[in-house]
Amino acid sequence: MKYKITISYDGSKYHGLQKLKNENTIQGELEKVLEMCNEQPVKVVSSGRTDKGVHAINQVCSFELQKNIDPYKLKGYLNRSTSPYLYVKSCEYIDDENFHARFSIKKKTYKYTINIGSYDPIKNDYVFNYNKPLNMDKMKEASSILLGPHNYRAFVTGKHDTCDSIIDSIEIMKTSDTIEIYIKGKAFYTYMVRNIVATLVLVGSGVLEKEAIAKMLETGKKVVEYSPAPASGLYLVDLIY
């Protein structure tokens, strides 16, 4: 039987989603637990890899089992058998033979959280402790340039055959000392969201002007060298199939 599960997890407790030898990962933990009840190896496929430290509110995975286990019972088994930092929110049979956890996705939404107030050690694994004010208006103006179909190579780390995608929306909201950036789009490449956030922070801090965003899209190169925003502030929020 083929199953689809929606999970959430605390990425600070894992070395990412993808299975790695001798490292604690989401895929590795799920496969280990599923193999105990299936009594055969199980391959877990996800909507996409999240890096070490990146969190998920809604991540989708699929897998096949030789046994037919009721989805409600399977959900309970997984939640009893995995760590408290991973939770299976739903479990169901997959009736569509063409469904693929990764390739069937139409849209993804990520959230990035920035603390612009005082340094908070308790939140350090769950936000970007930037701890300085940012100009929200400048960030919003710059973010609008990123919308639509573009080649996002300047915002992608590593080599890829293509960096073409479509960003549908970028919403930037402030509550007290927290800024949340929601980015919704078709496809995201390695560190793409974190590089976009890092660039918007540079704009909000006055290091870059919004015109730099347009130049980066046009040339495919960074205008200044910078590191991706920390993984701790990034959350996979929603998936549309």
Side-chain angles (χ1 to χ4, degrees):
M1 298 299 296
K2 194 171 182 180
Y3 296 86
K4 169 188 170 185
I5 57 173
T6 300
I7 62 175
S8 59
Y9 48 82
D10 178 347
S12 68
K13 304 301 189 294
Y14 294 91
H15 281 73
L17 184 138
Q18 185 182 14
K19 188 175 182 179
L20 298 171
K21 189 176 181 180
N22 301 323
E23 297 288 1
N24 184 29
T25 68
I26 290 98
Q27 181 187 4
E29 183 169 338
L30 286 171
E31 289 184 354
K32 180 180 179 180
V33 170
L34 287 167
E35 285 171 8
M36 287 191 291
C37 72
N38 192 52
E39 299 177 347
Q40 291 187 44
V42 177
K43 176 71 172 179
V44 172
V45 179
S46 69
S47 71
R49 302 171 184 174
T50 53
D51 299 313
K52 178 182 177 181
V54 175
H55 316 287
I57 297 173
N58 289 294
Q59 169 73 279
V60 170
C61 301
S62 63
F63 51 86
E64 291 188 43
L65 300 180
Q66 299 302 311
K67 295 183 177 181
N68 183 355
I69 303 174
D70 177 79
Y72 179 79
K73 292 181 178 179
L74 183 57
K75 173 188 172 183
Y77 166 74
L78 288 169
N79 283 328
R80 289 192 304 272
S81 306
T82 54
S83 82
Y85 306 109
L86 186 158
Y87 180 70
V88 178
K89 302 172 78 171
S90 66
C91 178
E92 59 190 277
Y93 291 122
I94 296 176
D95 297 323
D96 183 359
E97 293 183 359
N98 296 318
F99 176 85
H100 192 282
R102 179 182 176 188
F103 298 120
S104 298
I105 294 174
K106 295 178 180 178
K107 302 290 180 184
K108 280 186 179 182
T109 302
Y110 284 94
K111 177 182 76 169
Y112 197 92
T113 305
I114 304 170
N115 175 25
I116 58 173
S118 300
Y119 179 84
D120 190 335
I122 296 172
K123 294 181 179 178
N124 196 52
D125 285 338
Y126 308 102
V127 300
F128 174 13
N129 261 319
Y130 185 71
N131 312 127
K132 289 176 284 187
L134 290 168
N135 188 313
M136 291 276 290
D137 291 334
K138 286 187 175 182
M139 292 173 71
K140 288 179 179 179
E141 289 176 5
S143 69
S144 66
I145 300 171
L146 291 161
L147 302 181
H150 291 288
N151 182 330
Y152 293 95
R153 189 169 299 279
F155 302 91
V156 176
T157 300
K159 295 182 178 180
H160 295 266
D161 293 335
T162 177
C163 294
D164 292 341
S165 189
I166 300 171
I167 293 181
D168 297 306
S169 64
I170 300 178
E171 296 182 39
I172 304 175
M173 296 173 284
K174 181 177 180 293
T175 304
S176 185
D177 290 330
T178 300
I179 290 177
E180 290 185 338
I181 303 173
Y182 288 84
I183 303 179
K184 180 180 180 180
K186 181 179 179 181
F188 296 93
Y189 302 93
T190 309
Y191 292 177
M192 181 172 158
V193 174
R194 291 167 60 189
N195 280 322
I196 286 174
V197 170
T199 308
L200 293 176
V201 167
L202 290 175
V203 172
S205 64
V207 174
L208 294 179
E209 296 298 325
K210 65 180 181 180
E211 289 77 15
I213 303 290
K215 187 174 181 180
M216 290 173 68
L217 289 172
E218 180 183 352
T219 64
K221 298 179 181 179
K222 293 180 178 180
V223 294
V224 295
E225 283 302 316
Y226 60 85
S227 299
S232 54
L234 186 59
Y235 296 75
L236 176 60
V237 172
D238 191 35
L239 300 164
I240 299 175
Y241 285 90

mmCIF file of all heavy atoms in Angstrom, residues 94-126:
data_model
loop_
_atom_site.group_PDB
_atom_site.id
_atom_site.type_symbol
_atom_site.label_atom_id
_atom_site.label_comp_id
_atom_site.label_asym_id
_atom_site.label_seq_id
_atom_site.Cartn_x
_atom_site.Cartn_y
_atom_site.Cartn_z
ATOM 1 N N ILE A 94 -2.762 6.616 -0.601
ATOM 2 C CA ILE A 94 -2.646 7.334 -1.872
ATOM 3 C C ILE A 94 -3.366 6.515 -2.932
ATOM 4 O O ILE A 94 -2.962 5.392 -3.246
ATOM 5 C CB ILE A 94 -1.178 7.550 -2.277
ATOM 6 C CG1 ILE A 94 -0.473 8.454 -1.268
ATOM 7 C CG2 ILE A 94 -1.101 8.170 -3.679
ATOM 8 C CD1 ILE A 94 1.002 8.636 -1.541
ATOM 9 N N ASP A 95 -4.431 7.078 -3.464
ATOM 10 C CA ASP A 95 -5.198 6.398 -4.509
ATOM 11 C C ASP A 95 -4.715 6.757 -5.912
ATOM 12 O O ASP A 95 -4.877 5.979 -6.852
ATOM 13 C CB ASP A 95 -6.695 6.757 -4.380
ATOM 14 C CG ASP A 95 -7.278 6.274 -3.058
ATOM 15 O OD1 ASP A 95 -6.880 5.178 -2.618
ATOM 16 O OD2 ASP A 95 -8.097 6.991 -2.473
ATOM 17 N N ASP A 96 -4.125 7.931 -6.060
ATOM 18 C CA ASP A 96 -3.651 8.397 -7.355
ATOM 19 C C ASP A 96 -2.279 7.795 -7.650
ATOM 20 O O ASP A 96 -1.284 8.116 -6.991
ATOM 21 C CB ASP A 96 -3.565 9.930 -7.356
ATOM 22 C CG ASP A 96 -3.141 10.504 -8.701
ATOM 23 O OD1 ASP A 96 -2.899 9.710 -9.634
ATOM 24 O OD2 ASP A 96 -3.043 11.747 -8.806
ATOM 25 N N GLU A 97 -2.202 6.930 -8.651
ATOM 26 C CA GLU A 97 -0.943 6.270 -8.994
ATOM 27 C C GLU A 97 0.109 7.251 -9.491
ATOM 28 O O GLU A 97 1.307 6.974 -9.450
ATOM 29 C CB GLU A 97 -1.190 5.195 -10.066
ATOM 30 C CG GLU A 97 -2.021 4.012 -9.580
ATOM 31 C CD GLU A 97 -2.168 2.955 -10.656
ATOM 32 O OE1 GLU A 97 -1.641 3.163 -11.766
ATOM 33 O OE2 GLU A 97 -2.792 1.917 -10.371
ATOM 34 N N ASN A 98 -0.326 8.407 -9.975
ATOM 35 C CA ASN A 98 0.609 9.391 -10.507
ATOM 36 C C ASN A 98 1.131 10.360 -9.447
ATOM 37 O O ASN A 98 1.975 11.204 -9.751
ATOM 38 C CB ASN A 98 -0.066 10.197 -11.631
ATOM 39 C CG ASN A 98 -0.423 9.330 -12.817
ATOM 40 O OD1 ASN A 98 0.351 8.469 -13.231
ATOM 41 N ND2 ASN A 98 -1.615 9.533 -13.374
ATOM 42 N N PHE A 99 0.626 10.232 -8.217
ATOM 43 C CA PHE A 99 1.062 11.162 -7.165
ATOM 44 C C PHE A 99 2.526 10.933 -6.827
ATOM 45 O O PHE A 99 2.987 9.807 -6.658
ATOM 46 C CB PHE A 99 0.222 10.987 -5.902
ATOM 47 C CG PHE A 99 0.691 11.845 -4.755
ATOM 48 C CD1 PHE A 99 0.273 13.158 -4.647
ATOM 49 C CD2 PHE A 99 1.568 11.334 -3.799
ATOM 50 C CE1 PHE A 99 0.711 13.960 -3.595
ATOM 51 C CE2 PHE A 99 2.013 12.123 -2.754
ATOM 52 C CZ PHE A 99 1.579 13.442 -2.653
ATOM 53 N N HIS A 100 3.260 12.040 -6.718
ATOM 54 C CA HIS A 100 4.658 11.995 -6.276
ATOM 55 C C HIS A 100 4.860 13.132 -5.291
ATOM 56 O O HIS A 100 4.538 14.289 -5.581
ATOM 57 C CB HIS A 100 5.605 12.148 -7.467
ATOM 58 C CG HIS A 100 7.026 11.827 -7.137
ATOM 59 N ND1 HIS A 100 7.853 12.701 -6.453
ATOM 60 C CD2 HIS A 100 7.784 10.720 -7.398
ATOM 61 C CE1 HIS A 100 9.051 12.152 -6.310
ATOM 62 N NE2 HIS A 100 9.038 10.958 -6.870
ATOM 63 N N ALA A 101 5.384 12.830 -4.112
ATOM 64 C CA ALA A 101 5.508 13.826 -3.053
ATOM 65 C C ALA A 101 6.294 15.051 -3.494
ATOM 66 O O ALA A 101 6.017 16.176 -3.053
ATOM 67 C CB ALA A 101 6.167 13.205 -1.818
ATOM 68 N N ARG A 102 7.245 14.845 -4.389
ATOM 69 C CA ARG A 102 8.064 15.974 -4.853
ATOM 70 C C ARG A 102 7.572 16.565 -6.165
ATOM 71 O O ARG A 102 7.349 17.770 -6.279
ATOM 72 C CB ARG A 102 9.521 15.532 -5.011
ATOM 73 C CG ARG A 102 10.446 16.649 -5.520
ATOM 74 C CD ARG A 102 11.857 16.144 -5.708
ATOM 75 N NE ARG A 102 12.725 17.164 -6.281
ATOM 76 C CZ ARG A 102 13.966 16.958 -6.690
ATOM 77 N NH1 ARG A 102 14.504 15.744 -6.575
ATOM 78 N NH2 ARG A 102 14.684 17.934 -7.203
ATOM 79 N N PHE A 103 7.367 15.712 -7.163
ATOM 80 C CA PHE A 103 7.118 16.220 -8.521
ATOM 81 C C PHE A 103 5.670 16.635 -8.763
ATOM 82 O O PHE A 103 5.377 17.271 -9.776
ATOM 83 C CB PHE A 103 7.549 15.174 -9.547
ATOM 84 C CG PHE A 103 9.025 14.854 -9.487
ATOM 85 C CD1 PHE A 103 9.453 13.558 -9.229
ATOM 86 C CD2 PHE A 103 9.965 15.855 -9.655
ATOM 87 C CE1 PHE A 103 10.810 13.262 -9.159
ATOM 88 C CE2 PHE A 103 11.326 15.565 -9.583
ATOM 89 C CZ PHE A 103 11.751 14.270 -9.332
ATOM 90 N N SER A 104 4.774 16.307 -7.849
ATOM 91 C CA SER A 104 3.371 16.690 -8.027
ATOM 92 C C SER A 104 3.056 18.058 -7.407
ATOM 93 O O SER A 104 1.932 18.537 -7.501
ATOM 94 C CB SER A 104 2.442 15.627 -7.415
ATOM 95 O OG SER A 104 2.599 14.382 -8.067
ATOM 96 N N ILE A 105 4.039 18.685 -6.774
ATOM 97 C CA ILE A 105 3.806 19.970 -6.110
ATOM 98 C C ILE A 105 3.547 21.081 -7.126
ATOM 99 O O ILE A 105 4.243 21.189 -8.137
ATOM 100 C CB ILE A 105 5.015 20.357 -5.239
ATOM 101 C CG1 ILE A 105 5.163 19.390 -4.081
ATOM 102 C CG2 ILE A 105 4.859 21.774 -4.693
ATOM 103 C CD1 ILE A 105 6.410 19.628 -3.270
ATOM 104 N N LYS A 106 2.549 21.912 -6.822
ATOM 105 C CA LYS A 106 2.243 23.089 -7.650
ATOM 106 C C LYS A 106 2.785 24.371 -7.024
ATOM 107 O O LYS A 106 3.276 25.249 -7.727
ATOM 108 C CB LYS A 106 0.732 23.204 -7.859
ATOM 109 C CG LYS A 106 0.136 22.049 -8.657
ATOM 110 C CD LYS A 106 -1.374 22.198 -8.792
ATOM 111 C CE LYS A 106 -1.958 21.040 -9.589
ATOM 112 N NZ LYS A 106 -3.436 21.131 -9.687
ATOM 113 N N LYS A 107 2.694 24.479 -5.689
ATOM 114 C CA LYS A 107 3.166 25.677 -4.998
ATOM 115 C C LYS A 107 3.739 25.302 -3.631
ATOM 116 O O LYS A 107 3.271 24.367 -2.981
ATOM 117 C CB LYS A 107 2.030 26.687 -4.786
ATOM 118 C CG LYS A 107 1.332 27.153 -6.052
ATOM 119 C CD LYS A 107 2.211 28.053 -6.915
ATOM 120 C CE LYS A 107 1.459 28.483 -8.178
ATOM 121 N NZ LYS A 107 2.336 29.286 -9.077
ATOM 122 N N LYS A 108 4.750 26.089 -3.201
ATOM 123 C CA LYS A 108 5.316 25.959 -1.863
ATOM 124 C C LYS A 108 5.301 27.322 -1.184
ATOM 125 O O LYS A 108 5.480 28.345 -1.846
ATOM 126 C CB LYS A 108 6.779 25.489 -1.919
ATOM 127 C CG LYS A 108 6.991 24.016 -2.121
ATOM 128 C CD LYS A 108 8.474 23.701 -2.001
ATOM 129 C CE LYS A 108 8.735 22.210 -2.166
ATOM 130 N NZ LYS A 108 10.173 21.877 -1.998
ATOM 131 N N THR A 109 5.098 27.314 0.121
ATOM 132 C CA THR A 109 5.188 28.541 0.895
ATOM 133 C C THR A 109 6.178 28.347 2.042
ATOM 134 O O THR A 109 6.077 27.386 2.797
ATOM 135 C CB THR A 109 3.823 28.963 1.481
ATOM 136 O OG1 THR A 109 2.887 29.135 0.416
ATOM 137 C CG2 THR A 109 3.948 30.274 2.252
ATOM 138 N N TYR A 110 7.121 29.268 2.130
ATOM 139 C CA TYR A 110 8.079 29.286 3.235
ATOM 140 C C TYR A 110 7.850 30.527 4.091
ATOM 141 O O TYR A 110 7.423 31.570 3.602
ATOM 142 C CB TYR A 110 9.516 29.325 2.714
ATOM 143 C CG TYR A 110 10.032 28.010 2.183
ATOM 144 C CD1 TYR A 110 9.955 27.709 0.832
ATOM 145 C CD2 TYR A 110 10.629 27.073 3.029
ATOM 146 C CE1 TYR A 110 10.433 26.516 0.329
ATOM 147 C CE2 TYR A 110 11.124 25.874 2.539
ATOM 148 C CZ TYR A 110 11.032 25.597 1.183
ATOM 149 O OH TYR A 110 11.510 24.418 0.697
ATOM 150 N N LYS A 111 8.173 30.402 5.367
ATOM 151 C CA LYS A 111 8.163 31.546 6.277
ATOM 152 C C LYS A 111 9.563 31.724 6.827
ATOM 153 O O LYS A 111 10.250 30.753 7.162
ATOM 154 C CB LYS A 111 7.192 31.314 7.433
ATOM 155 C CG LYS A 111 7.189 32.434 8.475
ATOM 156 C CD LYS A 111 6.236 32.139 9.624
ATOM 157 C CE LYS A 111 6.801 31.112 10.585
ATOM 158 N NZ LYS A 111 6.010 30.990 11.841
ATOM 159 N N TYR A 112 9.990 33.001 6.916
ATOM 160 C CA TYR A 112 11.280 33.282 7.556
ATOM 161 C C TYR A 112 11.057 34.286 8.678
ATOM 162 O O TYR A 112 10.415 35.318 8.482
ATOM 163 C CB TYR A 112 12.296 33.831 6.557
ATOM 164 C CG TYR A 112 13.701 33.724 7.101
ATOM 165 C CD1 TYR A 112 14.481 32.611 6.841
ATOM 166 C CD2 TYR A 112 14.212 34.705 7.946
ATOM 167 C CE1 TYR A 112 15.742 32.481 7.400
ATOM 168 C CE2 TYR A 112 15.465 34.581 8.508
ATOM 169 C CZ TYR A 112 16.230 33.467 8.226
ATOM 170 O OH TYR A 112 17.473 33.330 8.797
ATOM 171 N N THR A 113 11.604 33.976 9.865
ATOM 172 C CA THR A 113 11.380 34.781 11.057
ATOM 173 C C THR A 113 12.665 35.455 11.518
ATOM 174 O O THR A 113 13.696 34.789 11.706
ATOM 175 C CB THR A 113 10.818 33.906 12.199
ATOM 176 O OG1 THR A 113 9.635 33.243 11.753
ATOM 177 C CG2 THR A 113 10.480 34.757 13.412
ATOM 178 N N ILE A 114 12.585 36.784 11.702
ATOM 179 C CA ILE A 114 13.739 37.587 12.107
ATOM 180 C C ILE A 114 13.425 38.306 13.416
ATOM 181 O O ILE A 114 12.398 38.970 13.535
ATOM 182 C CB ILE A 114 14.094 38.640 11.038
ATOM 183 C CG1 ILE A 114 14.330 37.970 9.674
ATOM 184 C CG2 ILE A 114 15.321 39.449 11.450
ATOM 185 C CD1 ILE A 114 14.459 38.957 8.527
ATOM 186 N N ASN A 115 14.303 38.170 14.386
ATOM 187 C CA ASN A 115 14.174 38.910 15.641
ATOM 188 C C ASN A 115 14.979 40.199 15.526
ATOM 189 O O ASN A 115 16.208 40.172 15.440
ATOM 190 C CB ASN A 115 14.692 38.072 16.820
ATOM 191 C CG ASN A 115 14.688 38.854 18.126
ATOM 192 O OD1 ASN A 115 13.923 39.808 18.288
ATOM 193 N ND2 ASN A 115 15.551 38.462 19.056
ATOM 194 N N ILE A 116 14.268 41.344 15.521
ATOM 195 C CA ILE A 116 14.960 42.633 15.431
ATOM 196 C C ILE A 116 15.057 43.311 16.800
ATOM 197 O O ILE A 116 15.540 44.438 16.906
ATOM 198 C CB ILE A 116 14.269 43.569 14.410
ATOM 199 C CG1 ILE A 116 12.808 43.805 14.780
ATOM 200 C CG2 ILE A 116 14.411 43.016 13.006
ATOM 201 C CD1 ILE A 116 12.115 44.849 13.924
ATOM 202 N N GLY A 117 14.594 42.625 17.833
ATOM 203 C CA GLY A 117 14.693 43.148 19.197
ATOM 204 C C GLY A 117 15.985 42.687 19.849
ATOM 205 O O GLY A 117 16.984 42.395 19.180
ATOM 206 N N SER A 118 15.983 42.597 21.164
ATOM 207 C CA SER A 118 17.165 42.153 21.906
ATOM 208 C C SER A 118 17.469 40.691 21.616
ATOM 209 O O SER A 118 16.571 39.891 21.331
ATOM 210 C CB SER A 118 16.936 42.339 23.419
ATOM 211 O OG SER A 118 16.695 43.691 23.720
ATOM 212 N N TYR A 119 18.729 40.343 21.717
ATOM 213 C CA TYR A 119 19.134 38.948 21.498
ATOM 214 C C TYR A 119 18.393 38.030 22.466
ATOM 215 O O TYR A 119 18.316 38.303 23.668
ATOM 216 C CB TYR A 119 20.638 38.803 21.698
ATOM 217 C CG TYR A 119 21.130 37.383 21.516
ATOM 218 C CD1 TYR A 119 21.421 36.880 20.254
ATOM 219 C CD2 TYR A 119 21.270 36.539 22.617
ATOM 220 C CE1 TYR A 119 21.870 35.582 20.092
ATOM 221 C CE2 TYR A 119 21.710 35.232 22.456
ATOM 222 C CZ TYR A 119 21.999 34.759 21.183
ATOM 223 O OH TYR A 119 22.424 33.466 21.019
ATOM 224 N N ASP A 120 17.850 36.955 21.932
ATOM 225 C CA ASP A 120 17.096 36.002 22.747
ATOM 226 C C ASP A 120 17.720 34.625 22.592
ATOM 227 O O ASP A 120 17.537 33.958 21.571
ATOM 228 C CB ASP A 120 15.627 35.967 22.306
ATOM 229 C CG ASP A 120 14.750 35.174 23.263
ATOM 230 O OD1 ASP A 120 15.283 34.290 23.959
ATOM 231 O OD2 ASP A 120 13.535 35.433 23.310
ATOM 232 N N PRO A 121 18.494 34.168 23.594
ATOM 233 C CA PRO A 121 19.164 32.867 23.472
ATOM 234 C C PRO A 121 18.193 31.698 23.401
ATOM 235 O O PRO A 121 18.497 30.672 22.795
ATOM 236 C CB PRO A 121 20.032 32.793 24.732
ATOM 237 C CG PRO A 121 19.347 33.692 25.706
ATOM 238 C CD PRO A 121 18.764 34.802 24.891
ATOM 239 N N ILE A 122 17.011 31.855 24.001
ATOM 240 C CA ILE A 122 16.032 30.768 24.006
ATOM 241 C C ILE A 122 15.465 30.542 22.613
ATOM 242 O O ILE A 122 15.169 29.422 22.204
ATOM 243 C CB ILE A 122 14.905 31.073 25.017
ATOM 244 C CG1 ILE A 122 15.488 31.118 26.431
ATOM 245 C CG2 ILE A 122 13.799 30.029 24.938
ATOM 246 C CD1 ILE A 122 14.511 31.590 27.490
ATOM 247 N N LYS A 123 15.332 31.626 21.839
ATOM 248 C CA LYS A 123 14.769 31.539 20.496
ATOM 249 C C LYS A 123 15.831 31.329 19.411
ATOM 250 O O LYS A 123 15.500 31.291 18.227
ATOM 251 C CB LYS A 123 13.985 32.814 20.174
ATOM 252 C CG LYS A 123 12.737 33.013 21.013
ATOM 253 C CD LYS A 123 12.026 34.298 20.594
ATOM 254 C CE LYS A 123 10.765 34.518 21.402
ATOM 255 N NZ LYS A 123 10.095 35.798 21.018
ATOM 256 N N ASN A 124 17.081 31.208 19.809
ATOM 257 C CA ASN A 124 18.162 31.240 18.819
ATOM 258 C C ASN A 124 18.068 30.143 17.768
ATOM 259 O O ASN A 124 18.517 30.331 16.632
ATOM 260 C CB ASN A 124 19.521 31.163 19.514
ATOM 261 C CG ASN A 124 20.651 31.572 18.591
ATOM 262 O OD1 ASN A 124 20.615 32.637 17.978
ATOM 263 N ND2 ASN A 124 21.650 30.713 18.469
ATOM 264 N N ASP A 125 17.496 28.992 18.118
ATOM 265 C CA ASP A 125 17.348 27.892 17.155
ATOM 266 C C ASP A 125 16.114 28.058 16.279
ATOM 267 O O ASP A 125 15.883 27.240 15.382
ATOM 268 C CB ASP A 125 17.256 26.542 17.881
ATOM 269 C CG ASP A 125 18.604 26.084 18.418
ATOM 270 O OD1 ASP A 125 19.641 26.545 17.898
ATOM 271 O OD2 ASP A 125 18.618 25.267 19.352
ATOM 272 N N TYR A 126 15.316 29.107 16.512
ATOM 273 C CA TYR A 126 14.025 29.218 15.837
ATOM 274 C C TYR A 126 13.810 30.554 15.126
ATOM 275 O O TYR A 126 12.771 30.765 14.515
ATOM 276 C CB TYR A 126 12.897 28.966 16.842
ATOM 277 C CG TYR A 126 13.110 27.672 17.581
ATOM 278 C CD1 TYR A 126 13.600 27.654 18.884
ATOM 279 C CD2 TYR A 126 12.897 26.449 16.939
ATOM 280 C CE1 TYR A 126 13.847 26.462 19.533
ATOM 281 C CE2 TYR A 126 13.142 25.253 17.588
ATOM 282 C CZ TYR A 126 13.620 25.254 18.886
ATOM 283 O OH TYR A 126 13.872 24.070 19.524
#
